[in-house]
Amino acid sequence: MGYATHLVTLAHRVSGIHTRYAKIHSLSVAFSLGRAISRIGRRNTAEFCRHQSQLTALNEELLQIASSLQDGSKLEPSTTLGDEFRLVLGEYIEVLSNSLQSLGRICAALCREKQAAVAYDERQSRADRLAYDESIQHYRRLGERLSQLYQRL
């Protein structure tokens, strides 16, 4: 498999993870400018707990892809464009992983709260939502750059 072909395969795998993550995002919590839309109160404990475990599994898949991306033996010989794509894909994976982890923390807190184990502190909730929203914006910007590079590969 050639350099560009391997990179494209990895990018497609990342895209598949993103698609599954986006579904979890829309099913669990939707955020707009740090403000939670009213879906939170309508969800039950099992959903938040299930989403947390699904996000953990997706993040593990993403980390395996990151490991493959760093394995240079499968990616040689490189090109300047391919190297740039590889760097941006690596950044995208890192930021998407941060988003998965952020949403996972939110779901874990809501899971615990719904189980009446621990109240989700309002200040912490706002901070978590803000960090999550920022990570979403970051991976979206990188995704746009990745798409531009993909078209040139």
Side-chain angles (χ1 to χ4, degrees), residues 27 33 43 61 81 87 101 106 117 121 127:
L27 290 173
L33 300 174
R43 299 291 177 204
E61 284 183 54
L81 180 59
L87 287 173
Q101 292 172 34
I106 291 167
D121 179 70

Side-chain angles (χ1 to χ4, degrees), residues 62-122:
L62 200 57
L63 295 176
Q64 289 174 351
I65 295 169
S67 177
S68 293
L69 187 64
Q70 292 174 353
D71 180 8
S73 66
K74 294 181 181 178
L75 299 174
E76 298 300 332
S78 66
T79 64
T80 303
L81 180 59
D83 288 344
E84 185 177 359
F85 185 85
R86 178 181 176 195
L87 287 173
V88 175
L89 180 59
E91 285 182 63
Y92 180 83
I93 289 170
E94 182 180 332
V95 175
L96 183 58
S97 175
N98 290 340
S99 293
L100 291 167
Q101 292 172 34
S102 291
L103 184 55
R105 280 190 297 275
I106 291 167
C107 287
L110 292 169
C111 174
R112 287 189 304 270
E113 182 176 69
K114 293 284 187 177
Q115 292 173 336
V118 179
Y120 194 8
D121 179 70
E122 186 61 36

